[in-house]
Amino acid sequence: MTDQELDVVRQLFTTLAAKYPRNLVRSMYFDAKMPLKPTGNIPEEAMSRIAAVLDWPEKAVSALAERSVFEGFVTPGGQQDPFELAGVLDANRFDLELPQAITSAYKHSCSFITTALGDVQSGEPDVMVMSRSAEWSTAIWDARRRVISAALTVTGTDADGAPNAMDIWLPDVVLSMTRRPSGSWATDRLPNPLGEVLVEPLTYDPQIDRPFGRSRISRPVMNITDHALTTIVRTEISADFYAAPRMMALGVTQDAFSRGKWQAAIDRWFAISKDEDGDTPTVQQFPQMTMQPLTELYRMYATQFSGATGVPVANLGIVTDNPPSAEALYADDRRLVNTAKRQNRIMASSLRRVAQKIVRLRDGSELTPELQQIDASWANPAFTSPTAAADALQKLSLVFPWLSESEVALEFAGFSHTEITRLLSDKRRSQTTSALSVFANAANATGQSSAQDATASSDPLQEANVLKAKADALGVLRRAGVEAKDAARLAGLSDVVFIPGQPITIREQGNDNQG
């Protein structure tokens, strides 16, 4: 390892050590393991014996991550999987790796995806694609070139949690470092054929001064969660006191509560004798206290959390008597949907570069113009009811009739990529059957026409029906993808002129006025 490389390693490891405590705190909030902070009204020793959890930080992450559904790579022409990436992605379980990377990015502000040549002899894919958490990874951002200039990923830890194996990703080499029992490090130099760092970040809300983004579990989110959790504890404590009514007894003897005031409060039958003067004691009950102020306080924190994250209040356990309408639900989700659309565009930029690295590593090729045009396809993050989608699609099809023949219409209707593939397969199968049926009818009509010509008997209506059958066969074959001349020959229309750029016109030879 050169001195320059060693300086980069030290810088990366220093950054990882500085960011690790804060990332660990966010992981604790995500897992609902954050410690309960004491307040002035509840003693600290009592807080240590109380167990309470709240999953709001997890909802701040998962509510957005669930709307970032990756469907595959496409080209501007709409071709699915143009560079045959499905095999590599399937071998790397990318359908499981990417959602985890997205969740980790929203939790810690960023995550990383690494690509490298795999050891095929040991059972690895041709290209290894792995997601890395920011807890055990870090990188240096080159603001001039807008790429990562160096990265560190921890690949192993000892019994105490200290790193004992890590990879250093540099533009010209990958350094695989392993700590020896003596404490020193051994380094293997692995080639990097692309000449660029094989690491791409997935970030949430990147800024100019924060290229690796910020976490969904922000300081406001953690502060609101702390207050809401304290409110839950206060509610639990108050419930024990409010369960028993507050009583007042006047004119009783000293031994009236010899068994204890709490036992007197829970006894079914309770007797109090007269005092020394023979007066009957007076027992009164104070008005029952209400817990409504605590529940309203909890609702206020839920509203603040919704405002900070865009998560609808209904998702935080706040139930209203009157269910919201479809328009109200759409308005509640609008901010989260807009955030998801923006995030999908941001992450698509990184995923495009990941796909380009996979193809270049697998094929040993350069970055071609066709490869530069690859893009990532995402599912629509907005939820639309089937009834509303069908109604909108019907109205759009009246204005744009060709829309009903497009795959976009099926996506608009809410079908998944797998369902669209099955539907189109069924459609092609049905078109093939229809084409064969129409072709058989056209052949039959051609035979009838030949027989009519042989007998020199002509019926104008029958001739028109025969011509219509042939034209229908020609249209079906053209829609099925058959070339124009071949379709005309199969349909029995040998004397057909195709004019480029014009609608298909059927003309009889020697008669330009008859179509």
Side-chain angles (χ1 to χ4, degrees), residues 6 23 27 71 99 102 145 153 220 238 334 389 395 469 499 512:
L6 184 58
N23 287 333
S27 295
E71 291 192 334
I102 293 175
R145 298 174 57 238
T153 56
S238 301
R334 182 176 57 185
K395 294 178 180 178
I499 304 175
D512 294 338

Side-chain angles (χ1 to χ4, degrees), residues 242-421:
Y242 297 165
R246 299 179 64 190
M247 307 294 293
M248 177 182 67
L250 300 176
V252 298
T253 59
Q254 294 183 356
D255 58 349
F257 300 100
S258 58
R259 299 180 57 193
K261 297 179 181 180
W262 180 252
Q263 185 64 37
I266 63 176
D267 282 341
R268 178 174 298 182
W269 293 95
F270 185 72
I272 300 178
S273 60
K274 295 182 179 180
D275 60 6
E276 293 82 355
D277 301 330
D279 296 330
T280 302
T282 302
V283 179
Q284 297 180 359
Q285 178 178 339
F286 288 107
Q288 188 73 13
M289 300 181 66
T290 177
M291 295 174 60
Q292 184 176 359
L294 293 175
T295 57
E296 292 297 329
L297 183 62
Y298 184 79
R299 185 185 295 269
M300 182 194 73
Y301 289 136
T303 305
Q304 290 181 354
F305 189 90
S306 177
T309 61
V311 179
V313 178
N315 292 3
L316 303 177
I318 304 300
V319 182
T320 58
D321 296 335
N322 297 323
S325 61
E327 290 76 11
L329 290 175
Y330 177 79
D332 288 342
D333 287 345
R334 182 176 57 185
R335 180 184 172 190
L336 202 61
V337 170
N338 292 338
T339 303
K341 290 181 178 179
R342 178 175 180 268
Q343 276 302 124
N344 291 346
R345 289 193 296 268
I346 293 174
M347 291 187 294
S349 176
S350 296
L351 291 179
R352 283 197 301 267
R353 296 179 63 86
V354 170
Q356 293 167 1
K357 287 182 172 67
I358 294 175
V359 175
R360 294 171 63 190
L361 286 173
R362 182 193 62 188
D363 302 338
S365 60
E366 297 294 331
L367 185 61
T368 61
E370 294 78 9
L371 188 56
Q372 288 180 328
Q373 295 181 354
I374 195 172
D375 200 1
S377 176
W378 302 87
N380 185 6
F383 171 77
T384 305
S385 65
T387 303
D391 182 63
L393 185 59
Q394 181 181 9
K395 294 178 180 178
L396 289 173
S397 298
L398 295 176
V399 181
F400 309 104
W402 49 266
L403 182 62
S404 59
E405 300 292 335
S406 172
E407 293 185 21
V408 178
L410 298 177
E411 295 176 358
F412 186 84
F415 292 103
S416 64
H417 178 67
T418 303
E419 293 172 339
I420 291 175
T421 302

Side-chain angles (χ1 to χ4, degrees), residues 222-245:
M222 291 187 285
N223 183 265
I224 295 171
T225 302
D226 290 338
H227 287 301
L229 189 59
T230 303
T231 303
I232 292 176
V233 174
R234 288 173 175 169
T235 304
E236 292 292 335
I237 295 175
S238 301
D240 292 334
F241 288 98
Y242 297 165

Side-chain angles (χ1 to χ4, degrees), residues 474 478 482-490 493 498:
L474 174 63
R478 290 291 290 137
V482 181
E483 293 293 336
K485 293 182 179 180
D486 295 336
R489 178 177 55 82
L490 293 173
L493 296 170
F498 293 96

